[in-house]
Amino acid sequence: MKQILVLFLTGCLSLGLLTACGAEASSEEAPLPEGTVSIQLSDNGITVDGEKASSDDTDAVYVAHDIVFYLEGQGIAYGEGAEEDAHSQAEADAHTVVHISQPGTYVLSGTLSAGQVAVDLREDAEEDPDAVVTLILNGVDITCSVAPAVIFYNVYECGSADAETAVKDVDTSAAGANVILADGTVNNIAGSYVARIYKPDSVELSEDGSEVVDSKKLHKYDGAFYSKMSMNVDGEAEGTGVLNIFAENEGLDSELHLTVNGGVINILSGNDGINTNEDGVSVTTVNGGTMTIEVDGATGEGDGIDSNGWLVINGGTVIAAACGDSQDAGIDSDMGIYINGGTVVASGNMYDRIEDGGQNYVVFSFAERQQGGTTYTLEDVGSMPVGTYTPANDFTYLVISDANMSAANYRLLQGETPLSGIVSDGEMGRGGMGGGPRPNGEAQPPEEAPDQERPQPGKDGMAVDPSGKDHPEDGVRPQRPEGFGGMPGAMQADGERVTAFAVTDGGNFITQVAPAEAET
């Protein structure tokens, strides 16, 4: 069995969470608003508004042992999964699925150590504006070792998947999938994923029957917290509710749009921390809240935030550390990254271009790979700090954007050691996937590329000790090619090394960053 529970318990320390894992909601809870349904989770039985949950699938809430998962021992016509993706029927049957089948607001609390919350308002819900479900997480611990721990299947879809009309500014306020983090609560979601399963009647095999040449998808859910439709995540009035996601593969996923408006979200994931995956269409929007994302390297890759469309940050705090052993970025987008406000600290071994016209930002490109866990301070020349940052993983690029970073002269320190670098004009190729800049946020889908098999988790699933590094078996890190950058999108610069650099309005690029005392 994959060691999700171990990660779940140790991951709290790795992310430096504000409150202990497993924290219970206050015993003096405010009365629920009229029309709200209370669901109390427990391994000893689920209750709905104080009554034992039904097993009748016509009820608004019912329980069953029917989780969707990737079954072991199947042939190539079943799906794309490898041995590491598969689970036994017995493991799946040990999970209790709490089904929500009608619109409404549901308050979840309690613990489910082997289970899932699944929202499904049936197939016609996608076009029904009334098919809206709001989950208020009020102190929950949910662990699922075979699939996402929370999943929205069919609810109202407020957006469009049409690439020709896609734009970067989307309004998801009418979305059918909504999550609210109750003030003063800690909510822990530890989940797995479901590898691609084919529709049985869609599979076409090669003449010799050795491979699948055509198929259609029945199931594929990569994230521990997953929605097939556009989703909103928010806090309550004080914004103190915490959502901790511990993910074997990806963390918080939506198949179309994702909007984060508030709350505290901590993600420890084996692959992308956040992923929105409709090519050339999806928009990940951050308007508020605090997000801390660490990709632990269990799958060998992963961006902090990965949007297959646009990434738009208007406010809040985003701290994102990509996998330290792969060519991934703290923030990545196929169609363009826009930072209009808030605080952003993104680290990784790849830089994905940020579009002009937003908030000031600085990209530091280091001469050598930096070790995760080291503290950096950005300060003005009067020694007034803008911020102090400790990237969780090894990295080569560090992106910093802050509303307080006005046009002025600044220094970057590693611990107490001043760093120097060369100011660059930032001319470079695009570091991430997709094409070049998109004027005015208009859709220009990237060229289609052949499907690539997703790297699979290790035999033990997620890392047992999230504070450690998942290096290759021989203990040798992948080496950067000789010369500066040595990767697509690497910045080149020739000029004088400086320890104080001027930030001008827009993007600023400092290359060949190294300790000032190491200058030759």
Side-chain angles (χ1 to χ4, degrees):
M1 180 182 294
K2 294 173 176 142
Q3 302 178 5
I4 292 179
L5 186 57
V6 176
L7 175 68
F8 170 70
L9 295 173
T10 59
C12 300
L13 298 176
S14 175
L15 286 176
L17 304 184
L18 303 177
T19 312
C21 281
E24 299 275 339
S26 170
S27 59
E28 299 180 1
E29 297 180 5
L32 298 178
E34 185 177 354
T36 299
V37 178
S38 174
I39 302 175
Q40 181 71 35
L41 305 178
S42 172
D43 292 337
N44 296 320
I46 314 297
T47 60
V48 180
D49 287 337
E51 302 292 330
K52 182 180 178 181
S54 166
S55 59
D56 184 345
D57 64 7
T58 64
D59 288 343
V61 181
Y62 67 95
V63 296
H65 294 273
D66 57 352
I67 196 164
V68 174
F69 72 106
Y70 199 97
L71 181 61
E72 66 181 2
Q74 305 303 301
I76 63 170
Y78 177 75
E80 292 181 355
E83 181 181 353
E84 300 85 35
D85 303 311
H87 305 270
S88 69
Q89 187 67 55
E91 182 183 3
D93 289 345
H95 286 72
T96 300
V97 181
V98 179
H99 291 275
I100 295 173
S101 64
Q102 294 180 18
T105 299
Y106 300 84
V107 180
L108 301 173
S109 57
T111 298
L112 197 57
S113 61
Q116 180 189 71
V117 173
V119 179
D120 191 345
L121 306 191
R122 313 310 180 196
E123 292 182 358
D124 58 352
E126 183 175 357
E127 298 180 359
D128 181 0
D130 294 327
V132 176
V133 168
T134 298
L135 301 181
I136 300 178
L137 305 188
N138 192 40
V140 295
D141 291 344
I142 305 173
T143 300
C144 183
S145 66
V146 300
V150 177
I151 185 168
F152 289 85
Y153 286 108
N154 292 297
V155 292
Y156 177 57
E157 178 51 76
C158 64
S160 168
D162 183 2
E164 292 185 0
T165 60
V167 293
K168 68 179 179 64
D169 298 313
V170 297
D171 180 3
T172 61
S173 58
N178 299 278
V179 178
I180 295 177
L181 312 178
D183 278 338
T185 67
V186 177
N187 304 278
N188 300 305
I189 304 297
S192 187
Y193 62 98
V194 178
R196 183 182 176 115
I197 300 173
Y198 304 135
K199 289 184 177 179
D201 59 355
S202 72
V203 178
E204 179 183 345
L205 298 178
S206 61
E207 289 187 6
D208 63 1
S210 63
E211 61 180 341
V212 175
V213 296
D214 193 20
S215 67
K216 293 182 180 179
K217 179 181 72 173
L218 178 62
H219 299 291
K220 183 177 184 290
Y221 314 118
D222 288 335
F225 200 121
Y226 196 92
S227 180
K228 293 185 66 178
M229 310 295 172
S230 295
M231 175 168 55
N232 299 312
V233 181
D234 202 352
E236 290 187 324
E238 297 178 4
T240 59
V242 178
L243 171 60
N244 300 321
I245 298 176
F246 305 98
E248 188 173 357
N249 189 31
E250 294 178 352
L252 179 62
D253 283 15
S254 170
E255 291 190 9
L256 194 54
H257 303 314
L258 171 67
T259 301
V260 177
N261 292 313
V264 179
I265 302 173
N266 302 300
I267 300 174
L268 183 65
S269 60
N271 205 305
D272 298 336
I274 290 177
N275 183 275
T276 49
N277 57 34
E278 184 66 29
D279 290 344
V281 178
S282 284
V283 182
T284 300
T285 305
V286 181
N287 294 320
T290 299
M291 290 195 296
T292 303
I293 300 168
E294 178 185 346
V295 180
D296 66 20
T299 68
E301 66 171 4
D303 298 305
I305 299 177
D306 181 5
S307 174
N308 288 8
W310 289 272
L311 171 59
V312 180
I313 301 173
N314 297 316
T317 298
V318 176
I319 301 172
C323 175
D325 292 322
S326 62
Q327 301 297 92
D328 287 299
I331 50 176
D332 175 84
S333 171
D334 289 1
M335 303 295 286
I337 298 171
Y338 293 80
I339 302 177
N340 302 316
T343 298
V344 178
V345 182
S347 58
N349 293 311
M350 185 71 76
Y351 165 68
D352 197 19
R353 179 171 176 167
I354 299 169
E355 307 298 341
D356 296 332
Q359 182 172 275
N360 295 343
Y361 65 91
V362 182
V363 180
F364 296 98
S365 178
F366 286 77
E368 297 181 355
R369 182 170 292 188
Q370 302 297 292
Q371 184 174 359
T374 303
T375 298
Y376 299 81
T377 301
L378 181 65
E379 63 180 23
D380 64 24
V381 292
S383 298
M384 291 294 293
V386 173
T388 299
Y389 323 102
T390 307
N393 298 329
D394 294 1
F395 66 95
T396 307
Y397 290 102
L398 178 62
V399 178
I400 299 174
S401 181
D402 193 289
N404 296 320
M405 191 167 62
S406 58
N409 292 326
Y410 294 89
R411 294 184 295 228
L412 183 68
L413 289 80
Q414 184 184 64
E416 297 182 358
T417 301
L419 299 177
S420 66
I422 302 171
V423 178
S424 166
D425 61 7
E427 291 296 326
M428 57 182 292
R430 188 173 177 82
M433 297 176 60
R438 282 17 184 216
N440 303 320
E442 296 179 356
Q444 297 181 23
E447 295 182 3
E448 292 186 4
D451 291 337
Q452 296 181 354
E453 183 177 354
R454 176 181 56 77
Q456 305 299 329
K459 293 182 179 179
D460 293 329
M462 293 184 287
V464 175
D465 179 7
S467 64
K469 305 298 179 185
D470 185 17
H471 301 311
E473 292 182 1
D474 60 5
V476 179
R477 283 188 191 284
Q479 297 299 310
R480 301 175 69 206
E482 185 177 354
F484 175 71
M487 63 191 74
M491 290 177 282
Q492 306 289 339
D494 295 311
E496 180 182 356
R497 298 187 69 85
V498 296
T499 55
F501 54 91
V503 167
T504 58
D505 289 339
N508 300 266
F509 305 88
I510 314 299
T511 72
Q512 295 279 19
V513 176
E517 62 188 20
E519 295 180 36
T520 59

PDB file of all heavy atoms in Angstrom, residues 180-211:
ATOM      1  N   ILE A 180     -15.162  26.324   0.542  1.00  0.00           N
ATOM      2  CA  ILE A 180     -14.927  27.391   1.509  1.00  0.00           C
ATOM      3  C   ILE A 180     -14.236  26.794   2.724  1.00  0.00           C
ATOM      4  O   ILE A 180     -14.657  25.757   3.248  1.00  0.00           O
ATOM      5  CB  ILE A 180     -16.244  28.072   1.924  1.00  0.00           C
ATOM      6  CG1 ILE A 180     -16.869  28.787   0.707  1.00  0.00           C
ATOM      7  CG2 ILE A 180     -16.015  29.066   3.051  1.00  0.00           C
ATOM      8  CD1 ILE A 180     -18.208  29.422   1.002  1.00  0.00           C
ATOM      9  N   LEU A 181     -13.179  27.460   3.166  1.00  0.00           N
ATOM     10  CA  LEU A 181     -12.430  27.023   4.348  1.00  0.00           C
ATOM     11  C   LEU A 181     -12.931  27.799   5.555  1.00  0.00           C
ATOM     12  O   LEU A 181     -12.747  29.026   5.639  1.00  0.00           O
ATOM     13  CB  LEU A 181     -10.932  27.264   4.127  1.00  0.00           C
ATOM     14  CG  LEU A 181     -10.372  26.767   2.777  1.00  0.00           C
ATOM     15  CD1 LEU A 181      -8.890  27.114   2.654  1.00  0.00           C
ATOM     16  CD2 LEU A 181     -10.610  25.280   2.618  1.00  0.00           C
ATOM     17  N   ALA A 182     -13.579  27.105   6.469  1.00  0.00           N
ATOM     18  CA  ALA A 182     -14.173  27.769   7.625  1.00  0.00           C
ATOM     19  C   ALA A 182     -13.089  28.402   8.486  1.00  0.00           C
ATOM     20  O   ALA A 182     -12.034  27.812   8.739  1.00  0.00           O
ATOM     21  CB  ALA A 182     -14.985  26.771   8.448  1.00  0.00           C
ATOM     22  N   ASP A 183     -13.347  29.618   8.938  1.00  0.00           N
ATOM     23  CA  ASP A 183     -12.382  30.329   9.778  1.00  0.00           C
ATOM     24  C   ASP A 183     -12.011  29.505  11.003  1.00  0.00           C
ATOM     25  O   ASP A 183     -12.860  28.842  11.614  1.00  0.00           O
ATOM     26  CB  ASP A 183     -12.972  31.666  10.240  1.00  0.00           C
ATOM     27  CG  ASP A 183     -12.834  32.749   9.190  1.00  0.00           C
ATOM     28  OD1 ASP A 183     -11.959  32.626   8.313  1.00  0.00           O
ATOM     29  OD2 ASP A 183     -13.609  33.733   9.248  1.00  0.00           O
ATOM     30  N   GLY A 184     -10.726  29.516  11.341  1.00  0.00           N
ATOM     31  CA  GLY A 184     -10.257  28.863  12.554  1.00  0.00           C
ATOM     32  C   GLY A 184     -10.147  27.363  12.468  1.00  0.00           C
ATOM     33  O   GLY A 184      -9.930  26.703  13.487  1.00  0.00           O
ATOM     34  N   THR A 185     -10.276  26.788  11.278  1.00  0.00           N
ATOM     35  CA  THR A 185     -10.201  25.334  11.145  1.00  0.00           C
ATOM     36  C   THR A 185      -8.986  24.921  10.329  1.00  0.00           C
ATOM     37  O   THR A 185      -8.460  25.687   9.517  1.00  0.00           O
ATOM     38  CB  THR A 185     -11.457  24.757  10.455  1.00  0.00           C
ATOM     39  OG1 THR A 185     -11.506  25.197   9.085  1.00  0.00           O
ATOM     40  CG2 THR A 185     -12.713  25.195  11.174  1.00  0.00           C
ATOM     41  N   VAL A 186      -8.552  23.682  10.551  1.00  0.00           N
ATOM     42  CA  VAL A 186      -7.498  23.059   9.752  1.00  0.00           C
ATOM     43  C   VAL A 186      -8.101  21.850   9.064  1.00  0.00           C
ATOM     44  O   VAL A 186      -8.726  21.005   9.705  1.00  0.00           O
ATOM     45  CB  VAL A 186      -6.304  22.643  10.624  1.00  0.00           C
ATOM     46  CG1 VAL A 186      -5.252  21.922   9.787  1.00  0.00           C
ATOM     47  CG2 VAL A 186      -5.685  23.851  11.317  1.00  0.00           C
ATOM     48  N   ASN A 187      -7.917  21.770   7.767  1.00  0.00           N
ATOM     49  CA  ASN A 187      -8.521  20.717   6.964  1.00  0.00           C
ATOM     50  C   ASN A 187      -7.426  19.985   6.198  1.00  0.00           C
ATOM     51  O   ASN A 187      -6.663  20.611   5.449  1.00  0.00           O
ATOM     52  CB  ASN A 187      -9.529  21.326   5.993  1.00  0.00           C
ATOM     53  CG  ASN A 187     -10.587  22.133   6.717  1.00  0.00           C
ATOM     54  OD1 ASN A 187     -11.559  21.591   7.225  1.00  0.00           O
ATOM     55  ND2 ASN A 187     -10.396  23.447   6.789  1.00  0.00           N
ATOM     56  N   ASN A 188      -7.325  18.682   6.390  1.00  0.00           N
ATOM     57  CA  ASN A 188      -6.252  17.880   5.814  1.00  0.00           C
ATOM     58  C   ASN A 188      -6.807  16.915   4.777  1.00  0.00           C
ATOM     59  O   ASN A 188      -7.664  16.086   5.079  1.00  0.00           O
ATOM     60  CB  ASN A 188      -5.536  17.091   6.920  1.00  0.00           C
ATOM     61  CG  ASN A 188      -4.922  18.015   7.952  1.00  0.00           C
ATOM     62  OD1 ASN A 188      -4.149  18.895   7.634  1.00  0.00           O
ATOM     63  ND2 ASN A 188      -5.293  17.802   9.218  1.00  0.00           N
ATOM     64  N   ILE A 189      -6.309  17.039   3.565  1.00  0.00           N
ATOM     65  CA  ILE A 189      -6.742  16.179   2.461  1.00  0.00           C
ATOM     66  C   ILE A 189      -5.514  15.445   1.936  1.00  0.00           C
ATOM     67  O   ILE A 189      -4.593  16.068   1.396  1.00  0.00           O
ATOM     68  CB  ILE A 189      -7.379  16.996   1.327  1.00  0.00           C
ATOM     69  CG1 ILE A 189      -8.554  17.831   1.848  1.00  0.00           C
ATOM     70  CG2 ILE A 189      -7.801  16.083   0.193  1.00  0.00           C
ATOM     71  CD1 ILE A 189      -9.699  17.014   2.403  1.00  0.00           C
ATOM     72  N   ALA A 190      -5.474  14.129   2.090  1.00  0.00           N
ATOM     73  CA  ALA A 190      -4.366  13.310   1.598  1.00  0.00           C
ATOM     74  C   ALA A 190      -4.921  12.370   0.539  1.00  0.00           C
ATOM     75  O   ALA A 190      -5.743  11.511   0.839  1.00  0.00           O
ATOM     76  CB  ALA A 190      -3.723  12.514   2.736  1.00  0.00           C
ATOM     77  N   GLY A 191      -4.489  12.562  -0.711  1.00  0.00           N
ATOM     78  CA  GLY A 191      -5.117  11.807  -1.771  1.00  0.00           C
ATOM     79  C   GLY A 191      -4.167  11.256  -2.808  1.00  0.00           C
ATOM     80  O   GLY A 191      -3.007  11.656  -2.906  1.00  0.00           O
ATOM     81  N   SER A 192      -4.692  10.356  -3.612  1.00  0.00           N
ATOM     82  CA  SER A 192      -3.942   9.720  -4.678  1.00  0.00           C
ATOM     83  C   SER A 192      -4.495  10.220  -6.018  1.00  0.00           C
ATOM     84  O   SER A 192      -4.906  11.375  -6.138  1.00  0.00           O
ATOM     85  CB  SER A 192      -4.056   8.195  -4.552  1.00  0.00           C
ATOM     86  OG  SER A 192      -3.223   7.541  -5.468  1.00  0.00           O
ATOM     87  N   TYR A 193      -4.534   9.386  -7.019  1.00  0.00           N
ATOM     88  CA  TYR A 193      -4.943   9.762  -8.370  1.00  0.00           C
ATOM     89  C   TYR A 193      -5.479   8.524  -9.076  1.00  0.00           C
ATOM     90  O   TYR A 193      -5.346   7.402  -8.584  1.00  0.00           O
ATOM     91  CB  TYR A 193      -3.753  10.327  -9.155  1.00  0.00           C
ATOM     92  CG  TYR A 193      -2.633   9.323  -9.326  1.00  0.00           C
ATOM     93  CD1 TYR A 193      -2.511   8.591 -10.505  1.00  0.00           C
ATOM     94  CD2 TYR A 193      -1.718   9.085  -8.306  1.00  0.00           C
ATOM     95  CE1 TYR A 193      -1.507   7.640 -10.654  1.00  0.00           C
ATOM     96  CE2 TYR A 193      -0.715   8.143  -8.448  1.00  0.00           C
ATOM     97  CZ  TYR A 193      -0.610   7.423  -9.624  1.00  0.00           C
ATOM     98  OH  TYR A 193       0.374   6.473  -9.766  1.00  0.00           O
ATOM     99  N   VAL A 194      -6.081   8.738 -10.241  1.00  0.00           N
ATOM    100  CA  VAL A 194      -6.554   7.630 -11.069  1.00  0.00           C
ATOM    101  C   VAL A 194      -5.918   7.778 -12.450  1.00  0.00           C
ATOM    102  O   VAL A 194      -6.151   8.776 -13.146  1.00  0.00           O
ATOM    103  CB  VAL A 194      -8.087   7.626 -11.202  1.00  0.00           C
ATOM    104  CG1 VAL A 194      -8.542   6.483 -12.120  1.00  0.00           C
ATOM    105  CG2 VAL A 194      -8.751   7.493  -9.828  1.00  0.00           C
ATOM    106  N   ALA A 195      -5.089   6.828 -12.827  1.00  0.00           N
ATOM    107  CA  ALA A 195      -4.488   6.845 -14.160  1.00  0.00           C
ATOM    108  C   ALA A 195      -5.575   6.661 -15.215  1.00  0.00           C
ATOM    109  O   ALA A 195      -6.683   6.199 -14.923  1.00  0.00           O
ATOM    110  CB  ALA A 195      -3.431   5.751 -14.278  1.00  0.00           C
ATOM    111  N   ARG A 196      -5.249   7.007 -16.450  1.00  0.00           N
ATOM    112  CA  ARG A 196      -6.236   6.975 -17.533  1.00  0.00           C
ATOM    113  C   ARG A 196      -6.805   5.582 -17.752  1.00  0.00           C
ATOM    114  O   ARG A 196      -6.069   4.614 -17.969  1.00  0.00           O
ATOM    115  CB  ARG A 196      -5.604   7.487 -18.827  1.00  0.00           C
ATOM    116  CG  ARG A 196      -6.567   7.560 -20.004  1.00  0.00           C
ATOM    117  CD  ARG A 196      -5.832   8.038 -21.253  1.00  0.00           C
ATOM    118  NE  ARG A 196      -6.704   8.031 -22.412  1.00  0.00           N
ATOM    119  CZ  ARG A 196      -7.088   9.105 -23.093  1.00  0.00           C
ATOM    120  NH1 ARG A 196      -6.666  10.296 -22.708  1.00  0.00           N
ATOM    121  NH2 ARG A 196      -7.861   8.993 -24.143  1.00  0.00           N
ATOM    122  N   ILE A 197      -8.137   5.497 -17.695  1.00  0.00           N
ATOM    123  CA  ILE A 197      -8.877   4.273 -17.982  1.00  0.00           C
ATOM    124  C   ILE A 197      -9.672   4.515 -19.261  1.00  0.00           C
ATOM    125  O   ILE A 197     -10.334   5.543 -19.410  1.00  0.00           O
ATOM    126  CB  ILE A 197      -9.824   3.908 -16.827  1.00  0.00           C
ATOM    127  CG1 ILE A 197      -9.032   3.698 -15.525  1.00  0.00           C
ATOM    128  CG2 ILE A 197     -10.633   2.663 -17.171  1.00  0.00           C
ATOM    129  CD1 ILE A 197      -9.911   3.499 -14.299  1.00  0.00           C
ATOM    130  N   TYR A 198      -9.621   3.571 -20.190  1.00  0.00           N
ATOM    131  CA  TYR A 198     -10.289   3.738 -21.471  1.00  0.00           C
ATOM    132  C   TYR A 198     -11.774   3.396 -21.384  1.00  0.00           C
ATOM    133  O   TYR A 198     -12.189   2.537 -20.597  1.00  0.00           O
ATOM    134  CB  TYR A 198      -9.673   2.816 -22.532  1.00  0.00           C
ATOM    135  CG  TYR A 198      -8.197   2.975 -22.746  1.00  0.00           C
ATOM    136  CD1 TYR A 198      -7.380   1.837 -22.852  1.00  0.00           C
ATOM    137  CD2 TYR A 198      -7.600   4.228 -22.870  1.00  0.00           C
ATOM    138  CE1 TYR A 198      -6.022   1.959 -23.078  1.00  0.00           C
ATOM    139  CE2 TYR A 198      -6.239   4.358 -23.091  1.00  0.00           C
ATOM    140  CZ  TYR A 198      -5.450   3.214 -23.191  1.00  0.00           C
ATOM    141  OH  TYR A 198      -4.110   3.333 -23.408  1.00  0.00           O
ATOM    142  N   LYS A 199     -12.561   4.059 -22.242  1.00  0.00           N
ATOM    143  CA  LYS A 199     -13.918   3.584 -22.475  1.00  0.00           C
ATOM    144  C   LYS A 199     -13.822   2.234 -23.175  1.00  0.00           C
ATOM    145  O   LYS A 199     -13.139   2.109 -24.199  1.00  0.00           O
ATOM    146  CB  LYS A 199     -14.687   4.570 -23.346  1.00  0.00           C
ATOM    147  CG  LYS A 199     -15.033   5.871 -22.656  1.00  0.00           C
ATOM    148  CD  LYS A 199     -15.885   6.750 -23.558  1.00  0.00           C
ATOM    149  CE  LYS A 199     -16.288   8.019 -22.830  1.00  0.00           C
ATOM    150  NZ  LYS A 199     -17.114   8.913 -23.691  1.00  0.00           N
ATOM    151  N   PRO A 200     -14.477   1.212 -22.643  1.00  0.00           N
ATOM    152  CA  PRO A 200     -14.281  -0.151 -23.170  1.00  0.00           C
ATOM    153  C   PRO A 200     -14.543  -0.288 -24.663  1.00  0.00           C
ATOM    154  O   PRO A 200     -13.849  -1.020 -25.354  1.00  0.00           O
ATOM    155  CB  PRO A 200     -15.264  -0.986 -22.349  1.00  0.00           C
ATOM    156  CG  PRO A 200     -15.451  -0.214 -21.079  1.00  0.00           C
ATOM    157  CD  PRO A 200     -15.369   1.224 -21.466  1.00  0.00           C
ATOM    158  N   ASP A 201     -15.566   0.404 -25.188  1.00  0.00           N
ATOM    159  CA  ASP A 201     -15.912   0.241 -26.592  1.00  0.00           C
ATOM    160  C   ASP A 201     -15.135   1.168 -27.522  1.00  0.00           C
ATOM    161  O   ASP A 201     -15.419   1.250 -28.713  1.00  0.00           O
ATOM    162  CB  ASP A 201     -17.411   0.455 -26.802  1.00  0.00           C
ATOM    163  CG  ASP A 201     -17.870   1.838 -26.357  1.00  0.00           C
ATOM    164  OD1 ASP A 201     -17.038   2.596 -25.801  1.00  0.00           O
ATOM    165  OD2 ASP A 201     -19.051   2.174 -26.555  1.00  0.00           O
ATOM    166  N   SER A 202     -14.149   1.897 -26.975  1.00  0.00           N
ATOM    167  CA  SER A 202     -13.411   2.864 -27.786  1.00  0.00           C
ATOM    168  C   SER A 202     -12.014   2.389 -28.158  1.00  0.00           C
ATOM    169  O   SER A 202     -11.315   3.058 -28.918  1.00  0.00           O
ATOM    170  CB  SER A 202     -13.280   4.187 -27.033  1.00  0.00           C
ATOM    171  OG  SER A 202     -12.352   4.066 -25.953  1.00  0.00           O
ATOM    172  N   VAL A 203     -11.599   1.265 -27.635  1.00  0.00           N
ATOM    173  CA  VAL A 203     -10.208   0.837 -27.769  1.00  0.00           C
ATOM    174  C   VAL A 203      -9.981   0.118 -29.098  1.00  0.00           C
ATOM    175  O   VAL A 203     -10.694  -0.831 -29.441  1.00  0.00           O
ATOM    176  CB  VAL A 203      -9.803  -0.078 -26.598  1.00  0.00           C
ATOM    177  CG1 VAL A 203      -8.366  -0.568 -26.772  1.00  0.00           C
ATOM    178  CG2 VAL A 203      -9.973   0.662 -25.280  1.00  0.00           C
ATOM    179  N   GLU A 204      -8.975   0.578 -29.818  1.00  0.00           N
ATOM    180  CA  GLU A 204      -8.546  -0.077 -31.052  1.00  0.00           C
ATOM    181  C   GLU A 204      -7.096  -0.523 -30.877  1.00  0.00           C
ATOM    182  O   GLU A 204      -6.227   0.291 -30.553  1.00  0.00           O
ATOM    183  CB  GLU A 204      -8.647   0.867 -32.238  1.00  0.00           C
ATOM    184  CG  GLU A 204      -8.198   0.254 -33.548  1.00  0.00           C
ATOM    185  CD  GLU A 204      -8.231   1.234 -34.707  1.00  0.00           C
ATOM    186  OE1 GLU A 204      -8.861   2.308 -34.563  1.00  0.00           O
ATOM    187  OE2 GLU A 204      -7.605   0.937 -35.758  1.00  0.00           O
ATOM    188  N   LEU A 205      -6.851  -1.803 -31.062  1.00  0.00           N
ATOM    189  CA  LEU A 205      -5.508  -2.356 -30.891  1.00  0.00           C
ATOM    190  C   LEU A 205      -4.811  -2.477 -32.242  1.00  0.00           C
ATOM    191  O   LEU A 205      -5.442  -2.502 -33.304  1.00  0.00           O
ATOM    192  CB  LEU A 205      -5.585  -3.725 -30.224  1.00  0.00           C
ATOM    193  CG  LEU A 205      -6.189  -3.790 -28.818  1.00  0.00           C
ATOM    194  CD1 LEU A 205      -6.231  -5.233 -28.337  1.00  0.00           C
ATOM    195  CD2 LEU A 205      -5.419  -2.912 -27.842  1.00  0.00           C
ATOM    196  N   SER A 206      -3.499  -2.547 -32.178  1.00  0.00           N
ATOM    197  CA  SER A 206      -2.711  -2.810 -33.374  1.00  0.00           C
ATOM    198  C   SER A 206      -3.005  -4.209 -33.893  1.00  0.00           C
ATOM    199  O   SER A 206      -3.620  -5.036 -33.208  1.00  0.00           O
ATOM    200  CB  SER A 206      -1.229  -2.664 -33.059  1.00  0.00           C
ATOM    201  OG  SER A 206      -0.850  -3.594 -32.055  1.00  0.00           O
ATOM    202  N   GLU A 207      -2.568  -4.481 -35.119  1.00  0.00           N
ATOM    203  CA  GLU A 207      -2.872  -5.768 -35.746  1.00  0.00           C
ATOM    204  C   GLU A 207      -2.404  -6.950 -34.915  1.00  0.00           C
ATOM    205  O   GLU A 207      -3.059  -7.987 -34.858  1.00  0.00           O
ATOM    206  CB  GLU A 207      -2.244  -5.826 -37.148  1.00  0.00           C
ATOM    207  CG  GLU A 207      -2.931  -4.923 -38.163  1.00  0.00           C
ATOM    208  CD  GLU A 207      -2.390  -5.130 -39.562  1.00  0.00           C
ATOM    209  OE1 GLU A 207      -1.563  -6.059 -39.737  1.00  0.00           O
ATOM    210  OE2 GLU A 207      -2.782  -4.386 -40.477  1.00  0.00           O
ATOM    211  N   ASP A 208      -1.253  -6.788 -34.273  1.00  0.00           N
ATOM    212  CA  ASP A 208      -0.742  -7.903 -33.474  1.00  0.00           C
ATOM    213  C   ASP A 208      -1.249  -7.871 -32.038  1.00  0.00           C
ATOM    214  O   ASP A 208      -0.881  -8.725 -31.222  1.00  0.00           O
ATOM    215  CB  ASP A 208       0.784  -7.926 -33.503  1.00  0.00           C
ATOM    216  CG  ASP A 208       1.406  -6.674 -32.886  1.00  0.00           C
ATOM    217  OD1 ASP A 208       0.644  -5.793 -32.418  1.00  0.00           O
ATOM    218  OD2 ASP A 208       2.645  -6.569 -32.882  1.00  0.00           O
ATOM    219  N   GLY A 209      -2.078  -6.847 -31.708  1.00  0.00           N
ATOM    220  CA  GLY A 209      -2.664  -6.769 -30.375  1.00  0.00           C
ATOM    221  C   GLY A 209      -1.715  -6.347 -29.282  1.00  0.00           C
ATOM    222  O   GLY A 209      -2.027  -6.490 -28.101  1.00  0.00           O
ATOM    223  N   SER A 210      -0.561  -5.804 -29.665  1.00  0.00           N
ATOM    224  CA  SER A 210       0.460  -5.486 -28.663  1.00  0.00           C
ATOM    225  C   SER A 210       0.377  -4.067 -28.132  1.00  0.00           C
ATOM    226  O   SER A 210       1.011  -3.733 -27.137  1.00  0.00           O
ATOM    227  CB  SER A 210       1.850  -5.713 -29.257  1.00  0.00           C
ATOM    228  OG  SER A 210       2.074  -4.825 -30.346  1.00  0.00           O
ATOM    229  N   GLU A 211      -0.404  -3.190 -28.792  1.00  0.00           N
ATOM    230  CA  GLU A 211      -0.492  -1.813 -28.330  1.00  0.00           C
ATOM    231  C   GLU A 211      -1.828  -1.197 -28.719  1.00  0.00           C
ATOM    232  O   GLU A 211      -2.503  -1.664 -29.637  1.00  0.00           O
ATOM    233  CB  GLU A 211       0.652  -0.974 -28.898  1.00  0.00           C
ATOM    234  CG  GLU A 211       0.681  -0.892 -30.407  1.00  0.00           C
ATOM    235  CD  GLU A 211       1.838  -0.056 -30.915  1.00  0.00           C
ATOM    236  OE1 GLU A 211       2.380   0.727 -30.133  1.00  0.00           O
ATOM    237  OE2 GLU A 211       2.193  -0.191 -32.102  1.00  0.00           O
TER     238      GLU A 211
END
